[in-house]
Amino acid sequence: AQSVTQPDIHITVSEGASLELRCNYSYGATPYLFWYVQSPGQGLQLLLKYFSGDTLVQGIKGFEAEFKRSQSSFNLRKPSVHWSDAAEYFCAVRSNFGNEKLTFGTGTRLTIIP
Amino acid sequence: EPEVTQTPSHQVTQMGQEVILRCVPISNHLYFYWYRQILGQKVEFLVSFYNNEISEKSEIFDDQFSVERPDGSNFTLKIRSTKLEDSAMYFCASSEGTEETQYFGPGTRLLVL
């Protein structure tokens, strides 16, 4: 069964600092990988996704993520965070065999300090 | 930009009552989903729906749950007899195809008393 681990429950960074949120997945083949963001009181917004091809994917709001097969990881990065990036970030995995469900990690809450 | 909408945004109900959560998926999407997120826990898949049939469901989606597409635009989740543990945020999502991105609505926060 597929699973996702986000080892960091809560991360605090200073505005303008760089950010890396960790995500590790467990799946027998190359999965489809996603990062979603949830702002307080809001739904889940897709930041970026990886299906195949270039292992470095660019998303919205200046985020990027790198798929590393050898490490079963799909870490999310941003070179310089803004106060508006404070939110909950979820990594998700989906099978590439027609199984439709997304399996989410437990999320990482990001706090930005001035 | 088209988006998934959900109503109501909040619902409070008594244990044992029936609730219906409503969703309007993106208009050209064919695949519909319900997920839930119990407070402080991860988002969990409940069910997927295509061509007026359930295509996949989780073990959470037992006989007290049902889904329906009553017309060309709405997609509903019914909980027949709510339990305290059904209290959660329920998210609807839709996609153009199984290979496509799932777009989520803002959620309905359900509180069962």
Side-chain angles (χ1 to χ4, degrees):
Chain A
Q2 61 211 40
S3 67
V4 177
T5 301
Q6 292 181 249
D8 304 305
I9 297 172
H10 188 197
I11 284 183
T12 299
V13 299
S14 299
E15 190 168 15
S18 63
L19 172 71
E20 183 169 26
L21 302 183
R22 296 183 290 166
C23 172
N24 292 96
Y25 67 90
S26 174
Y27 182 64
T30 301
Y32 295 156
L33 295 159
F34 306 82
W35 275 99
Y36 283 87
V37 60
Q38 184 182 29
S39 298
Q42 303 295 311
L44 296 164
Q45 181 182 24
L46 179 70
L47 283 177
L48 48 77
K49 62 187 178 185
Y50 172 79
F51 282 8
S52 65
D54 192 345
T55 56
L56 183 65
V57 293
Q58 303 296 320
I60 62 171
K61 305 185 181 184
F63 286 92
E64 66 177 28
E66 186 171 12
F67 169 59
K68 292 185 177 180
R69 185 192 308 273
S70 61
Q71 297 176 19
S72 297
S73 69
F74 188 57
N75 295 348
L76 181 71
R77 300 194 295 249
K78 187 169 183 177
S80 175
V81 297
H82 185 261
W83 64 266
S84 60
D85 293 325
E88 186 104 19
Y89 291 79
F90 293 94
C91 182
V93 63
R94 211 192 82 202
S95 161
N96 58 8
F97 286 125
N99 177 305
E100 300 148 18
K101 72 173 184 180
L102 288 170
T103 298
F104 285 84
T106 50
T108 297
R109 181 180 303 170
L110 176 64
T111 298
I112 309 294
I113 55 176
Chain B
E1 182 179 328
E3 57 183 20
V4 178
T5 59
Q6 292 184 242
T7 54
S9 58
H10 293 80
Q11 172 115 29
V12 181
T13 189
Q14 296 292 321
M15 189 170 58
Q17 295 296 304
E18 174 183 287
V19 295
I20 298 176
L21 309 183
R22 290 181 169 78
C23 168
V24 179
I26 295 173
S27 62
N28 64 331
H29 287 186
L30 302 176
Y31 293 80
F32 314 114
Y33 313 86
W34 284 101
Y35 292 80
R36 78 171 184 191
Q37 183 183 29
I38 295 172
L39 189 63
Q41 298 185 24
K42 65 173 68 176
V43 177
E44 303 172 290
F45 170 80
L46 291 177
V47 66
S48 59
F49 189 86
Y50 168 72
N51 199 27
N52 281 321
E53 289 184 345
I54 291 174
S55 49
E56 187 178 0
K57 62 182 181 180
S58 72
E59 58 190 23
I60 302 169
F61 194 88
D62 60 23
D63 291 344
Q64 70 161 338
F65 290 94
S66 62
V67 289
E68 189 180 28
R69 187 152 165 84
D71 53 44
S73 60
N74 289 282
F75 179 52
T76 63
L77 174 69
K78 181 190 293 185
I79 310 175
R80 286 192 234 301
S81 177
T82 50
K83 304 171 188 171
L84 296 177
E85 54 265 36
D86 294 328
S87 295
M89 178 76 91
Y90 288 81
F91 291 106
C92 174
S94 69
S95 66
E96 288 184 68
T98 57
E99 300 295 308
E100 302 302 322
T101 299
Q102 294 177 25
Y103 292 90
F104 285 76
T108 294
R109 185 170 296 283
L110 176 66
L111 178 61
V112 182
L113 301 176

